[in-house]
Amino acid sequence: MTPKERVMNTLEKKEVDRVPVFSGMGNVTVAGMQKYGIDFASSHANAEQMATLACSTYELFGFECAVVPFDLCVEAEALGCEVNFYAGKQNILYPTIKSKILKVGEELQVPENLLERGRIPLVKEAISLCKEKLNGEVAVGSYILGPFTLAGQILDLNDLLKSSFKKPNDVKALLSQLVEPLVDIANAFHEAGADYITVREMGAPSDVISPRMFKMLVQPYLKETIAGIKAPTILHMCGDTNMLVEMLYECGANAISVEQKNDVAATRQKLGEEAVILGNLDAYGVIVKGTPEEVEQSVKQAIEAGVDGVMPGCDIWPEVPEDNMHALIKAVEKYGAKS
Amino acid sequence: MTEDKKQLLEEIRKAVIEFDEDRVKELANKWIELGYDANEAIFEGLAAGMEVVGDLFAKNEYFVPEVLMCADALYAGLDILRPHIKAEDKTETKGVVVIGTVEGDVHDIGKNLVKLMFEVAGFEVHDLGKDVPLEKFVEEQLKTDADLVCLSAMMTTTMPGMKKVIEMLRERNPNVKIMIGGAPVSEKTVEMYGADATGKDAASALEEAIKMVASLREMKRKKEI
């Protein structure tokens, strides 16, 4: 079975020879950057570099996907936000939004030519390049933010969170406006060649807002967004999701992806055998800071708890030790075989 | 303490907990009209209310939006009460603090709550905001001769920036105290990075900030005895 078949079959709940090890989020490594002499800050604005780095994690370690882009600013940028790429900085920094474009209660103006704005054409090109480089052997993924998380990018987060309580109708109006642009972007990425799309709604775990608010404000627009995406989808949420997994599952994605705070065995019990659950390795504490033995143990635990795919709970931090990446893949091969 | 005063303090606490900004303002004004000590209302009313908010947050009864609104209510009361702090209380300024979220990190909710705590306690606070270039912390410390520098990072990816700031600060000014905070920060980070302190529970900067309000109140109570 090719890595792509393994990943796609998992998302479609079909048979696989073993559990895949992949991600719905960024997974570039410093090892890849060094091999190709590419600087992280410049890769965000260069399709060829982006694709090269995304594919390098498969080439170097056998990680079973290539995912672009690497940052969380693409949609907000296309909607008009200015992005800081931290060019020339020595340390690796992820791009952030410099300027907010909206206040709660204001009307969002979605540009007519949204799909031609910002780096959307560049990400599409990078997806096509990944597709060419991997020759159908390895799955190509891309992602969009969930409506609530995107709202947190284009609005002041304090304003959004307080308004969620004080003026829920204004927030609902905004979130409902964000669905269509997000769906359009996701489908454009799919048409460019992305085999699967992850929807990252990391701004709404129960570390931040109550499950009640999640149900009222977040879930309806997540459902709508996912329903509009033509590719197989993964719904990812980091933070504490134990109280939310049923609601996440109801959103209708092919799979849900959770991080280490989720008790996967309990989630499996709640959702049943039909649910596709991905996760739940600690992307920093274990994959970057742990020993290869700890990585192996973590993989074993995740598989025993019942994940259908081994996935880091967040983007892989580029400074991941190479030995840990090798240990990750090896452990999945060792413990993930289906008899 | 008279019954009236006790009652009023209880109402201030309750209004903070219920994030009723208008009610807090009304009560703070009443407190001043009655000629009571502003500091007492700040510590036993506003900050005591925020302490309960911290418990509610820890118990998953309150979430971030609620805590933010409670903080707004607290600030509304603080704005009214602060000008009335007695001169002798003012002179005991606890110190000067420089605070900010390190470069690459645009999260400031936890940082703002820690800042609130320092303001309540009577520190002079210089807030550099979020996504602060690392050298800026050093410049500001030198400029203000701050006793304490507080660095915040909410992402594991921006945490290493704190280490660089600490190195730069120590080089220029070995005596300055450095506190670090944020969800990914632990006691181990403090040791690894050479900082002086963080909160006990690293899981949430929010909880810590509110807990620190409580511990400051405790310090103050002991001093009074």
Side-chain angles (χ1 to χ4, degrees):
Chain A
M1 214 167 215
T2 65
K4 180 175 170 179
E5 286 168 335
R6 215 170 270 133
V7 165
M8 299 316 289
N9 279 10
T10 297
L11 294 180
E12 284 154 15
K13 202 69 190 174
K14 292 181 190 156
E15 256 178 51
V16 285
D17 55 350
R18 73 159 163 78
V19 168
V21 49
F22 71 115
S23 175
M25 296 160 282
N27 46 67
V28 288
T29 65
V30 169
M33 295 177 206
Q34 282 169 348
K35 181 174 179 193
Y36 290 101
I38 296 171
D39 169 46
F40 190 57
S42 68
S43 71
H44 305 299
N46 182 314
E48 179 63 45
Q49 290 185 351
M50 198 184 268
T52 303
L53 284 186
C55 296
S56 70
T57 315
Y58 171 69
E59 285 167 28
L60 290 168
F61 307 105
F63 196 73
E64 300 177 291
C65 65
V67 178
V68 291
F70 311 140
D71 67 302
L72 305 170
C73 300
V74 173
E75 304 91 326
E77 187 185 24
L79 287 170
C81 290
E82 202 185 329
V83 179
N84 187 354
F85 291 100
Y86 301 102
K89 292 283 173 187
Q90 273 181 327
N91 32 342
I92 289 176
L93 295 174
Y94 280 88
T96 56
I97 299 297
K98 258 194 207 169
S99 56
K100 305 285 176 171
I101 50 165
L102 208 66
K103 289 200 177 92
V104 172
E106 288 175 357
E107 185 82 6
L108 173 74
Q109 301 295 335
V110 180
E112 287 267 327
N113 58 346
L114 182 75
L115 298 178
E116 287 140 44
R117 286 171 56 97
R119 286 175 295 143
I120 289 179
L122 188 140
V123 174
K124 282 166 63 182
E125 192 191 337
I127 291 169
S128 310
L129 288 169
C130 286
K131 200 98 197 157
E132 273 171 38
K133 283 177 202 284
L134 298 168
N135 213 11
E137 196 181 306
V138 179
V140 177
S142 187
Y143 55 79
I144 56 164
L145 299 181
F148 191 81
T149 305
L150 178 56
Q153 292 284 56
I154 62 175
L155 254 69
D156 175 62
L157 192 57
N158 290 274
D159 188 19
L160 175 68
L161 289 172
K162 285 193 274 192
S163 301
S164 299
F165 216 95
K166 290 183 183 168
K167 303 175 201 159
N169 287 332
D170 286 355
V171 175
K172 281 183 191 170
L174 170 68
L175 295 176
S176 124
Q177 269 197 297
L178 290 174
V179 170
E180 199 186 310
L182 282 170
V183 168
D184 289 347
I185 294 171
N187 284 334
F189 290 170
H190 178 46
E191 278 158 31
D195 297 303
Y196 63 97
I197 300 282
T198 304
V199 179
R200 305 177 68 167
E201 190 69 298
M202 70 275 239
S206 60
D207 308 290
V208 181
I209 62 169
S210 66
R212 199 170 49 91
M213 193 179 274
F214 182 89
K215 193 174 180 63
M216 176 185 75
L217 273 185
V218 182
Q219 198 197 26
Y221 308 103
L222 264 180
K223 263 189 196 167
E224 246 186 85
T225 306
I226 289 166
I229 299 175
K230 292 175 187 139
T233 47
I234 301 169
L235 173 57
H236 173 78
M237 185 122 120
C238 44
D240 187 351
T241 47
N242 289 305
M243 293 189 273
L244 303 175
V245 284
E246 286 102 335
M247 285 194 269
L248 292 178
Y249 188 47
E250 284 166 16
C251 288
N254 291 64
I256 63 165
S257 151
V258 291
E259 64 147 76
Q260 65 274 7
K261 280 192 192 169
N262 189 274
D263 178 348
V264 172
T267 297
R268 172 61 71 199
Q269 263 201 335
K270 287 180 205 164
L271 304 185
E273 283 310 309
E274 274 310 297
V276 180
I277 304 169
L278 311 170
N280 67 334
L281 303 191
D282 183 339
Y284 187 76
V286 174
I287 299 181
V288 177
K289 287 291 166 187
T291 61
E293 292 73 31
E294 283 164 345
V295 173
E296 182 180 336
Q297 271 310 308
S298 246
V299 168
K300 184 167 179 266
Q301 279 165 14
I303 292 173
E304 283 172 359
V307 297
D308 299 289
V310 171
M311 199 181 261
C314 192
D315 305 86
I316 291 182
W317 174 231
E319 277 162 8
V320 54
E322 295 184 36
D323 286 349
N324 285 5
M325 283 303 292
H326 290 301
L328 171 63
I329 316 303
K330 248 197 194 148
V332 178
E333 286 167 354
K334 183 169 164 190
Y335 299 108
K338 302 273 180 182
S339 44
Chain B
M1 201 187 287
T2 64
E3 273 310 300
D4 279 2
K5 206 171 166 190
K6 247 190 188 163
Q7 174 76 28
L8 202 49
L9 279 178
E10 183 50 40
E11 283 182 45
I12 295 175
R13 278 195 283 270
K14 204 172 147 234
V16 170
I17 298 163
E18 289 171 357
F19 42 88
D20 190 340
E21 223 177 297
D22 294 337
R23 182 88 181 125
V24 172
K25 283 186 197 160
E26 193 188 311
L27 294 166
N29 282 321
K30 195 169 165 193
W31 182 269
I32 296 301
E33 275 164 36
L34 290 169
Y36 297 146
D37 175 18
N39 234 11
E40 197 178 337
I42 293 174
F43 280 89
E44 302 305 324
L46 299 177
M50 207 62 192
E51 196 178 324
V52 179
V53 174
D55 290 340
L56 292 171
F57 182 73
K59 282 192 288 194
N60 272 338
E61 281 182 44
Y62 272 14
F63 297 85
V64 179
E66 290 90 326
V67 174
L68 288 175
M69 289 186 292
C70 293
D72 280 355
L74 190 151
Y75 265 122
L78 199 59
D79 284 345
I80 293 168
L81 294 165
R82 207 157 27 189
H84 298 279
I85 295 174
K86 283 186 272 176
E88 66 257 37
D89 288 334
K90 269 187 201 157
T91 47
E92 55 169 293
T93 301
K94 305 281 188 321
V96 180
V97 188
V98 169
I99 189 166
T101 306
V102 297
E103 189 165 60
D105 208 318
V106 290
H107 297 88
D108 64 356
I109 292 174
K111 185 266 294 168
N112 288 344
L113 284 162
V114 176
K115 174 187 165 189
L116 169 69
M117 179 273 295
F118 282 117
E119 291 188 325
V120 164
F123 282 81
E124 181 186 324
V125 184
H126 298 269
D127 180 10
L128 298 175
K130 53 193 174 188
D131 194 18
V132 178
L134 305 181
E135 315 78 44
K136 186 93 178 89
F137 286 97
V138 184
E139 282 168 29
E140 190 73 9
Q141 193 278 326
L142 288 171
K143 208 169 86 191
T144 59
D145 194 28
D147 310 285
L148 179 64
V149 178
C150 294
L151 308 171
S152 165
M154 279 307 283
M155 305 192 298
T156 48
T157 52
T158 50
M159 229 173 31
M162 301 201 291
K163 185 166 189 267
K164 289 195 180 161
V165 179
I166 295 170
E167 282 163 10
M168 288 191 283
L169 280 168
R170 295 276 183 236
E171 202 176 294
R172 300 280 201 89
N173 188 347
N175 294 324
V176 67
K177 293 280 175 208
I178 304 166
M179 238 184 84
I180 58 177
V185 174
S186 65
E187 289 292 344
K188 214 171 134 194
T189 326
V190 172
E191 207 177 299
M192 259 166 47
Y193 287 5
D196 294 300
T198 182
K200 270 182 204 142
D201 176 10
S204 155
L206 225 61
E207 262 174 77
E208 259 145 56
I210 299 162
K211 266 187 222 150
M212 286 199 295
V213 177
S215 71
L216 269 159
R217 286 183 59 241
E218 188 61 26
M219 266 167 52
K220 205 174 143 57
R221 248 182 250 136
K222 279 184 185 149
K223 234 166 132 187
E224 275 164 8
I225 293 164

